[in-house]
Amino acid sequence: MALRVWEDDDSIGYARIDLGRRVPTPVRLSFQRVEEEPRHLGKEGWQPEIAWLELHDVETNSETSIARVGPMVVSRIGEFERIEIFVDSVGELGIVSWPEMARPAVDLIYGRELWSARPATAIMAAEPLPPPVAPLKPEHTLTAPPAWPSEPKGDSPPPKVRSRLPLWLGFAVFAGVCMAASVQLSGTADLCGMAGIAGCPRGGTRVVHSPSPAQTPVFSEADAKGQLNALINGSATDSQFVEMGRKTLAAGYPVIALRAFEQVVDPKQNEEAAFQIARIFDPLVTDAVYASVHNRRPERASPYYSYCKRTSSRCAEALNRLCGANPDLKRANAKFADECRN
């Protein structure tokens, strides 16, 4: 079984971790960031030295152990942050992209309830409202002032003379209105026939009003995260995760695509997932879409290229190019040299 993390629906600020195997109790885990320093999560936050957090809430069945971690862990790991998890006396379990989940309601630094009502608000709510004030009665009755005397009526002013528009201008306006109405109703207009232009070809000149193309809805980053979380919570298949990874990568969200490809149960058996993960980590791939991925290094890409190099020519070619560009790393890193050789 694969290492997996999801939000605990019973308690805000808690998460459950399927360790992917049965582990002996007591369980002590180490959480290490892959792409940032300091790497190790301790009780006071991230630190340079390794730290082991003992867990008391662990369920073990015939196949795997599921651990429950609280706000001390959940509040300090960011969404989609890549975390490597170790078990004391067992070793590395794998790397996960931390899922989106609600943050705890407690400030872990000061221990204050962040969602509780403010004291001033509570005091104001407890005080009774003052009684309504009766409206004041005026001592004297106000009367309207007398109206001003009207002006004496004299001779009525001469009637205004209305100017008349030329008759031809009225017909021109009427013809324009009719032409616009015809275009609006039918979508086409025979301009030559309306204007009476001599020498027009039969049928006239037609103006066609084509409908505006429908706008394609924008696939936002929030949409990508929501769809991926729905697949994870719905126990989607490997092919669905691979298709989701392609979709988000084409939309320009490589970190979300990486998380989608990593949901494949065994990348060693899935050539597309292994190749795409390797390209995301490969510094020789200079496409602009990968610019937001941090810590791209040859030794992070080479394991995934090696998974598919025997069954895929594109994986083998990319691995050879990566190994040829890093001769110093081959001499200093035995694991990288072995992946390049075998």
Side-chain angles (χ1 to χ4, degrees):
M1 299 182 66
L3 180 67
R4 190 166 66 95
V5 180
W6 69 95
E7 184 176 10
D8 188 349
D9 296 332
D10 297 333
S11 304
I12 294 178
Y14 286 79
R16 292 189 180 273
I17 306 175
D18 185 345
L19 303 181
R21 66 183 75 175
R22 298 183 65 184
V23 298
T25 56
V27 178
R28 300 203 318 155
L29 297 184
S30 172
F31 298 88
Q32 302 180 19
R33 293 191 290 196
V34 176
E35 300 172 350
E36 293 187 29
E37 296 290 344
R39 291 194 56 182
H40 305 280
L41 179 60
K43 293 184 178 180
E44 303 299 327
W46 296 101
Q47 60 187 41
E49 303 84 11
I50 190 170
W52 297 99
L53 305 178
E54 185 171 350
L55 306 182
H56 302 284
D57 191 352
V58 180
E59 300 175 1
T60 301
N61 54 35
S62 59
E63 297 181 350
T64 185
S65 296
I66 299 177
R68 185 171 182 262
V69 296
M72 188 177 69
V73 174
V74 173
S75 65
R76 293 191 172 104
I77 301 179
E79 180 185 359
F80 296 120
E81 192 167 11
R82 292 170 51 78
I83 301 296
E84 194 170 13
I85 301 178
F86 293 80
V87 177
D88 190 17
S89 74
V90 174
E92 179 188 359
L93 296 180
I95 299 176
V96 296
S97 293
W98 202 260
E100 179 184 10
M101 60 181 66
R103 297 301 173 194
V106 178
D107 185 341
L108 296 178
I109 299 178
Y110 300 103
R112 298 177 299 189
E113 293 286 344
L114 299 183
W115 290 350
S116 60
R118 297 180 180 178
T121 305
I123 294 175
M124 292 176 63
E127 293 179 357
L129 297 175
V133 179
L136 297 176
K137 296 182 179 181
E139 297 181 358
H140 303 283
T141 304
L142 299 179
T143 58
W148 291 97
S150 58
E151 296 180 359
K153 296 183 180 180
D155 296 336
S156 58
K160 296 181 179 180
V161 179
R162 297 181 180 180
S163 60
R164 295 183 178 180
L165 294 175
L167 186 60
W168 64 269
L169 182 58
F171 279 113
V173 173
F174 180 74
V177 172
C178 291
M179 182 183 300
S182 175
V183 172
Q184 180 68 25
L185 293 176
S186 64
T188 60
D190 190 344
L191 299 183
C192 287
M194 286 186 178
I197 301 175
C200 281
R202 180 172 297 180
T205 303
R206 304 183 68 83
V207 179
V208 180
H209 296 266
S210 59
S212 58
Q215 295 183 352
T216 304
V218 178
F219 184 59
S220 66
E221 186 175 3
D223 295 334
K225 292 180 181 178
Q227 292 184 19
L228 178 57
N229 287 331
L231 290 178
I232 295 174
N233 297 330
S235 301
T237 63
D238 285 355
S239 60
Q240 289 177 301
F241 283 121
V242 169
E243 183 60 30
M244 186 66 193
R246 290 171 175 168
K247 181 179 179 181
T248 52
L249 198 58
Y253 311 125
V255 177
I256 305 177
L258 174 63
R259 187 184 174 205
F261 289 125
E262 287 181 335
Q263 299 303 314
V264 173
V265 174
D266 189 2
K268 295 180 181 179
Q269 305 298 327
N270 193 303
E271 185 263 342
E272 179 66 17
F275 179 73
Q276 294 297 346
I277 294 174
R279 281 179 58 84
I280 291 174
F281 290 142
D282 190 348
L284 298 181
V285 179
T286 58
D287 295 356
V289 69
Y290 302 111
S292 60
V293 180
H294 300 288
N295 203 15
R296 302 177 70 203
R297 300 198 307 268
E299 60 269 30
R300 297 184 69 185
S302 57
Y304 294 96
Y305 281 141
S306 65
Y307 292 160
C308 57
K309 66 181 180 181
R310 300 188 186 279
T311 58
S312 171
S313 59
R314 61 176 182 172
C315 290
E317 293 172 1
L319 180 60
N320 291 335
R321 183 170 59 253
L322 186 68
C323 296
N326 295 276
D328 295 338
L329 183 61
K330 288 173 62 177
R331 289 189 291 267
N333 190 318
K335 184 174 182 293
F336 180 75
D338 185 63
E339 290 163 349
C340 292
R341 181 169 51 254
N342 297 329

